[in-house]
């Protein structure tokens, strides 16, 4: 089975201090892996380093068996970050925000297809926000904004879904809905990597957990 994520002896430093040191992580196609640890354990830093958003001091990272430095197929990956930068100031509707996740360098100037619009609608229905699709994103609560970003990721149909603390600010009802949704994606072959401090709420579909202690 091919490796979707390969991390070998990864080290990340901030101001000369090691935030991550000699981290190994290998995720095969179709796995649902949880990065489990308290706040401050480096989960977010690891996720960012894997996706090329955080420089690392030494080590190797590959995505879909391609070294990170040469990887270009970013449309195969969907990210729901822990923090939603600028969400309070983005003058777009929920619908526009979700459709925006379908834009890639290969399809910047063509209109969205019927299938893409259907995927966006289905994702918003799945997270319980279809009725609020015309509202501005910054008018939603923090938990609702996170659900909108989850819908954005789901609509992309990516091969790898990376989620950092996806349940933060989300109420119990929608956490249950999200868990079942993730379980369905896993059953259909999507590879999932989730960073969380509380595995109990989404443990059902997880196939393997990597535990990190505090720094």
């Amino acid at each position: 089975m091919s490796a979707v994520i390969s991390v070998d002896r990864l080290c990340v430093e901030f101001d000369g201090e090691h935030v991550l040191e000699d981290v190994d992580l290998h995720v095969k196609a179709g796995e649902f892996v949880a990065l489990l640890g308290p706040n401050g354990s480096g989960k977010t830093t690891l996720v960012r380093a894997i996706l090329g958003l955080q420089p690392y001091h030494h080590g190797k990272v590959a995505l879909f068996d391609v070294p990170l430095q040469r990887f270009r197929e970013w449309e195969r990956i969907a990210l729901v970050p822990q923090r939603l930068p600028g969400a309070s100031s983005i003058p777009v509707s929920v619908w526009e925000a979700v459709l925006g996740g379908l834009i890639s360098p290969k399809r910047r100037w063509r209109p969205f297809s019927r299938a893409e619009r259907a995927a966006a609608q289905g994702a918003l229905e799945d997270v319980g926000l279809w009725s609020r699709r015309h509202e501005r994103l910054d008018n939603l609560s923090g938990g609702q904004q996170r659900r909108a970003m989850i819908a954005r990721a789901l609509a992309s149909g990516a091969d790898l879904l990376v989620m950092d603390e996806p349940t933060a600010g989300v109420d119990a009802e929608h956490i249950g809905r999200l868990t079942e949704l993730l379980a369905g994606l896993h059953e259909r072959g999507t590879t999932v990597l989730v960073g969380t401090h509380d595995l109990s709420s989404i443990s059902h579909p997880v196939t393997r957990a990597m535990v990190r202690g505090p720094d």
Side-chain angles (χ1 to χ4, degrees), residues 182-199:
L182 292 175
L185 287 173
H186 177 233
E187 290 175 0
R188 293 197 292 273
T190 302
T191 306
V192 183
L193 178 67
V194 174
T196 181
H197 69 278
D198 180 13
L199 188 59

Side-chain angles (χ1 to χ4, degrees), residues 4 36 48 56 100 113 122 131 174 203 209:
V4 174
L36 179 63
R48 288 176 56 81
Y56 51 90
S113 68
S131 64
H174 289 100
S203 61

Side-chain angles (χ1 to χ4, degrees), residues 3-8 24-28 31 33 208 210:
V4 174
I5 298 173
S6 296
V7 177
D8 295 288
D24 294 319
L25 174 65
H26 299 274
V27 179
K28 296 179 180 179
E31 281 196 290
V33 176
R208 183 161 57 92
M210 175 181 176

Side-chain angles (χ1 to χ4, degrees), residues 26-111:
H26 299 274
V27 179
K28 296 179 180 179
E31 281 196 290
F32 192 128
V33 176
L35 300 176
L36 179 63
N39 292 334
S41 60
K43 302 187 304 297
T44 296
T45 300
L46 177 56
V47 166
R48 288 176 56 81
I50 289 171
L51 298 180
L53 301 173
Q54 170 63 54
Y56 51 90
H57 184 64
H58 67 71
K60 296 180 180 180
V61 179
L63 297 170
F64 298 94
D65 293 321
V66 177
L68 181 61
Q69 294 81 357
R70 294 195 282 109
F71 186 76
R72 298 293 182 270
E73 296 182 296
W74 294 106
E75 67 276 7
R76 300 184 67 182
I77 303 173
L79 169 65
V80 179
Q82 181 178 6
R83 295 179 179 82
L84 308 179
S88 61
S89 60
I90 298 175
V92 297
S93 69
V94 174
W95 177 244
E96 290 168 333
V98 173
L99 280 177
L102 301 176
I103 297 174
S104 71
K106 297 178 181 179
R107 51 104 41 242
R108 283 179 179 168
W109 304 114
R110 66 177 176 82

Side-chain angles (χ1 to χ4, degrees), residues 174-187 204-205:
H174 289 100
I175 287 176
R177 179 182 290 188
L178 173 61
T179 301
E180 292 307 312
L181 183 60
L182 292 175
L185 287 173
H186 177 233
E187 290 175 0
H204 167 54

Side-chain angles (χ1 to χ4, degrees), residues 143-201:
Q144 289 167 338
Q145 288 181 6
R146 182 166 297 280
R147 283 158 50 199
M149 293 300 99
I150 291 171
R152 176 186 169 101
L154 297 177
S156 71
D159 299 315
L160 170 62
L161 177 60
V162 181
M163 311 178 83
D164 192 5
E165 298 287 1
T167 60
V170 179
D171 60 62
E173 174 188 352
H174 289 100
I175 287 176
R177 179 182 290 188
L178 173 61
T179 301
E180 292 307 312
L181 183 60
L182 292 175
L185 287 173
H186 177 233
E187 290 175 0
R188 293 197 292 273
T190 302
T191 306
V192 183
L193 178 67
V194 174
T196 181
H197 69 278
D198 180 13
L199 188 59
S200 62
S201 59

